Amino acid sequence: MSDFVRPARLYLSALLSLALSAALVPPAFAAGAAEPAAPSPGEPQIPSVDKGLSAERVLSDMEALEANADYEPGTLLALIDGDAEVASAGVTLKELAGALDGAGGNLSGGAESIDRAGRCSLSPVSAGDAGDLGILGDIEPVAAGDWLGGLVLARVPVPEGMGAGEAASLLAQDGRVVDFSLGYVCSPEYVSEGAEVEVATGDPIYGELDKQWHLANAAVPGAWSYMQNPDGTRARGGVTVAVIDSGCDLDHPDLVGNLDLANAYDAVAGGPLEGDVLANVDAEDGGEGIASHGTHVCGIVGAETGNGIGTAGVSYDARVLPINAIDPATGRTAPGAIEAAFDYLFGLIDSGEDSIRVVNISLGSRNAMPTVAALLGRALDEYGLTVVASAGNGASSAAHYPSDYEQCISVVCANAEGRKDPNSNYGSGTDVSAPGCYVWSTVDGGGYGYKTGTSMAAAIVSGVAALLYTMDPGATPQQVRDAVVGGAEPLSEPEETAAGMVNATDAMELLLFGVDYGDVGTEEWYVTGGYFTYVARAGIMRGYSGTASFGPYLDVTRAEFATVLYRMANPGSGATTDPSLYEDDETGFSDAVDREYYTAALNWAKREGIMTGDASSGYTTVRPNDSLSRQEAAVMSRRFAGSLGADVGVEGMAAPALEGWDGVAEWARDAMTWCYHREVITGWDNRDGTFSALPLKTVDRSQMTKIATVLDIEFAK
């Protein structure tokens, strides 16, 4: 791609950046744009452009693009003044949009919606405006949302017998046309080799991953472990992923429960989605691999997880909103269809559908798409959307769109050995890699099959992003991007790309805890039980400062136990940053120390009667750095609950039926009984059907996560 051609095709986005007051693309090449006048209050600013240069750019683009066909030669895209009159209707384009929306023309864009399935003509212009040029007599509006700043984006068919260059010249003479470009299109990013379709049962997400190797390679099950709540429920749902693709099999048994059927939309036909528009593509007609593309992508993102059939979606049951942008006649996007899809999404969000957080675009082109560049900035900055796009399958480091736009997370395709797939694009415009070779997912007709390509890789990253938003709904797109990219691991052969392999577990840890804990096993009981996630997110327990270690099997010291209790009772206290809290030891214990991390906690614990000192020393010592036994932890836990007003009586509570109960000290028996019945400290599992008291066994940090979780939920909250 020459340096001349690329900025030429970005020109329209420079125009939009003026119209929207958002400099999304540096307009270094926009010498033809006049300096905009100061806008009138409440009126959109419509800039003046040298449209003769735009016509020249159409001609140069055609010459450069004829070899790759990533545009529709018979269609131009035009930005038209929304105040232009519609022929024989007596209304403006914008007014027509509102009228159609009120009549149920479609669901897009609120009051700015237009019926994209219908065509309309603009009224003939006066002779003073170059006469009736005839080029706007059969236009098809695509988008008219607020993000266009009072303009309407429309497809303009090139009249029969007229070339695109001549049509562009006529558009340049029409005063209602603000700017125009070729009708650029995208194609599904798949590689056809190895396509296989079969019906299967299984969903073996807790056994061998088998055909779902991509889940293991992207460390997805570990991320799922963090989604367990302490009450035994799974954190799931609440997030919607919009999939702009070829639609979806709306009746697939492994998808239907997670599909947003009420809002599924066809941005090409301009109405409700009826299915995957590529469902009936015949392989003999060159469609091998492309059939069911949207259904396959939707399944990778959001097939029902744990339902015992088929495959498991990466997102663990996020909602999936399928939107078709593909013209079934060509197998590529219709010009302006991606813009129409975003226009629709913006309207949904404006109407209250605020669960939409991720957009997957497994489509791409070698050609820049100016209006897509403009709306991606709006999607990120104003609507908080994380947009994930496939990097393309051209085995090239050349520019690729929309993935190369900085607002997207661009995804490279990797294989099971952790190497970049030879067909995948790579280079400085990419952000992260993901499994994409022979990925098993849903296909049309209720079946399953393999597909390969950056389309599949992008869908995995979209699923990971949905996991992160599920666990942290308040996360920003930048925080999610940082977690996904920062948690990635280097590829086995990283010489061609620095886009490391996505690691869903590490991404989850970076987002939730700010660190990738190297010593926390995601299949350990304290993680799968939801305890570790709870205390870490609540700031009750943290790792060791300056390290990536949590120390789950290190003993809890008496001072650490007091500090954890203090944090629960005094959230956000600033115990180690406010000198008035930690400067002086007030306990009277001879072995307590000023200005230690635990000083404020010990002062508080002494005042509350939670730590009274050692009887053996006449209550003059507290042994802050000694380990804590189970019976000592029980006593402190019961006193803590009592200090918060809880009923800590043991009347009616039977002594626990635990082996070794006779070894519990007399002074700890009531506390051990209370903790057992309140499930704070229960019996030690002997793994043979019996449980032991083990009163003298020390408490480690993994056990402390459960103690702290129960105390915080039941008594401190």
Side-chain angles (χ1 to χ4, degrees):
M1 179 178 292
S2 71
D3 289 338
F4 172 75
V5 173
R6 182 177 181 183
R9 271 176 263 130
L10 285 171
Y11 183 74
L12 191 55
S13 65
L15 170 69
L16 282 173
S17 71
L18 292 172
L20 305 177
S21 301
L24 302 174
V25 181
F29 44 84
E35 187 71 24
S40 301
E43 295 181 0
Q45 173 69 19
I46 299 179
S48 175
V49 173
D50 186 340
K51 291 182 289 186
L53 290 178
S54 296
E56 292 177 10
R57 290 184 180 99
V58 167
L59 290 172
S60 65
D61 285 359
M62 287 175 57
E63 182 178 352
L65 298 176
E66 282 182 352
N68 64 45
D70 281 347
Y71 76 105
E72 175 55 58
T75 304
L76 297 173
L77 279 176
L79 281 169
I80 303 173
D81 184 348
D83 289 332
E85 293 184 356
V86 177
S88 304
V91 296
T92 66
L93 267 180
K94 299 283 286 184
E95 290 170 336
L96 174 64
L100 287 171
D101 182 67
N106 67 53
L107 302 174
S108 170
E112 305 301 332
S113 180
I114 50 181
D115 183 356
R116 299 187 181 97
R119 298 179 183 273
C120 66
S121 300
L122 296 189
S123 299
V125 293
S126 67
D129 291 323
D132 183 5
L133 304 173
I135 191 68
L136 297 179
D138 189 26
I139 65 172
E140 184 177 354
V142 170
D146 289 341
W147 64 279
L148 282 167
L151 307 178
V152 174
L153 181 68
R155 300 186 188 106
V156 180
V158 176
E160 186 175 351
M162 183 184 295
E166 183 182 354
S169 178
L170 292 177
L171 286 179
Q173 299 175 57
D174 197 310
R176 299 163 297 186
V177 176
V178 177
D179 205 2
F180 50 88
S181 70
L182 288 179
Y184 301 108
V185 298
C186 293
S187 299
E189 296 289 4
Y190 71 98
V191 178
S192 61
E193 293 88 344
E196 173 189 339
V197 178
E198 60 181 87
V199 177
T201 59
D203 191 16
I205 63 171
Y206 298 113
E208 290 187 20
L209 291 175
D210 191 17
K211 294 175 179 177
Q212 301 174 85
W213 68 272
H214 61 282
L215 297 178
N217 275 39
V220 171
W224 288 345
S225 297
Y226 285 118
M227 301 176 71
Q228 187 72 28
N229 296 319
D231 63 0
T233 60
R234 177 77 72 173
R236 62 202 303 173
V239 172
T240 297
V241 180
V243 176
I244 300 175
D245 210 284
S246 64
C248 182
D249 178 354
L250 303 181
D251 298 315
H252 198 293
D254 213 2
L255 284 170
V256 66
N258 286 343
L259 293 177
D260 183 356
L261 296 174
N263 292 314
Y265 186 69
D266 190 329
V268 178
L273 181 66
E274 296 183 357
D276 193 320
V277 302
L278 298 177
N280 299 315
V281 172
D282 190 341
E284 294 181 359
D285 294 332
E288 182 182 359
I290 194 173
S292 305
H293 188 272
T295 300
H296 201 268
V297 169
C298 287
I300 294 171
V301 173
E304 290 191 57
T305 301
N307 64 346
I309 64 170
T311 185
V314 171
S315 68
Y316 211 105
D317 292 335
R319 298 283 284 171
V320 176
L321 171 56
I323 299 177
N324 175 53
I326 299 292
D327 183 344
T330 64
R332 305 175 301 174
T333 61
I338 293 178
E339 294 92 328
F342 272 97
D343 194 49
Y344 176 68
L345 284 175
F346 293 165
L348 283 180
I349 296 171
D350 288 341
S351 68
E353 295 286 346
D354 56 2
S355 69
I356 303 170
R357 304 301 303 276
V358 183
V359 181
N360 185 89
I361 307 177
S362 288
L363 309 166
S365 169
R366 285 164 286 185
N367 306 305
M369 291 166 284
T371 46
V372 173
L375 65 84
L376 286 175
R378 213 54 169 315
L380 178 66
D381 297 335
E382 296 188 23
Y383 289 92
L385 297 175
T386 291
V387 181
V388 180
S390 51
N393 302 315
S396 169
S397 61
H400 179 270
Y401 301 98
S403 61
D404 270 16
Y405 292 126
E406 63 181 359
Q407 296 90 351
C408 295
I409 298 178
S410 176
V411 187
V412 171
C413 175
N415 61 24
E417 288 72 45
R419 297 184 176 91
K420 182 186 76 66
D421 180 68
N423 293 301
S424 179
N425 286 350
Y426 57 93
S428 60
T430 60
D431 297 299
V432 69
S433 302
C437 298
Y438 301 101
V439 175
W440 178 255
S441 184
T442 50
V443 296
D444 292 314
Y448 302 84
Y450 293 105
K451 289 186 186 294
T452 292
T454 55
S455 283
M456 290 64 248
I460 288 171
V461 173
S462 289
V464 172
L467 288 177
L468 302 185
Y469 280 121
T470 297
M471 287 303 293
D472 190 355
T476 66
Q478 188 63 51
Q479 289 171 328
V480 169
R481 173 191 282 269
D482 290 346
V484 169
V485 176
E489 300 177 346
L491 296 181
S492 299
E493 297 175 351
E495 62 274 5
E496 286 187 328
T497 178
M501 177 72 82
V502 67
N503 185 304
T505 301
D506 290 351
M508 183 73 79
E509 291 181 344
L510 286 175
L511 181 69
L512 297 184
F513 317 132
V515 63
D516 172 12
Y517 286 114
D519 57 355
V520 173
T522 56
E523 296 305 313
E524 297 288 349
W525 68 271
Y526 59 92
V527 174
T528 59
Y531 309 120
F532 175 78
T533 305
Y534 182 87
V535 299
R537 294 190 69 193
I540 297 170
M541 294 181 69
R542 304 182 179 92
Y544 289 96
S545 179
T547 75
S549 298
F550 183 77
Y553 297 112
L554 296 177
D555 286 349
V556 174
T557 68
R558 294 160 65 85
E560 288 174 335
F561 198 98
T563 300
V564 170
L565 298 182
Y566 176 84
R567 287 173 178 162
M568 289 190 284
N570 304 277
S573 71
T576 57
T577 57
D578 183 350
S580 67
L581 296 174
Y582 73 85
E583 189 169 42
D584 298 319
D585 168 47
E586 303 168 2
T587 63
F589 298 133
S590 62
D591 51 358
V593 180
D594 298 343
R595 294 179 175 272
E596 279 288 343
Y597 76 90
Y598 59 71
T599 302
L602 287 186
N603 290 340
W604 165 83
K606 176 65 181 298
R607 289 195 302 269
E608 296 294 328
I610 295 170
M611 297 184 75
T612 57
D614 301 318
S616 60
S617 68
Y619 303 103
T620 62
T621 61
V622 72
R623 293 178 289 124
N625 296 314
D626 281 6
S627 300
L628 194 73
S629 70
R630 286 165 58 84
Q631 63 184 9
E632 289 173 328
V635 170
M636 290 181 64
S637 297
R638 183 185 182 215
R639 289 173 176 172
F640 169 77
S643 73
L644 298 176
D647 180 1
V648 294
V650 295
E651 293 79 10
M653 292 183 180
L658 300 174
E659 292 187 0
W661 179 255
D662 291 344
V664 177
E666 191 67 33
W667 51 266
R669 288 198 169 193
D670 281 354
M672 288 284 282
T673 299
W674 183 86
C675 283
Y676 177 84
H677 285 280
R678 300 308 295 262
E679 299 186 354
V680 178
I681 301 175
T682 52
W684 183 271
D685 190 349
N686 297 317
R687 305 299 176 89
D688 61 0
T690 64
F691 296 84
S692 296
L694 297 179
L696 300 181
K697 183 175 179 58
T698 55
V699 176
D700 64 30
R701 287 171 58 83
S702 70
Q703 294 158 3
M704 188 67 212
T705 65
K706 179 190 176 185
I707 295 171
T709 296
V710 176
L711 288 175
D712 195 54
I713 292 175
E714 296 297 329
F715 305 108
K717 293 298 187 187

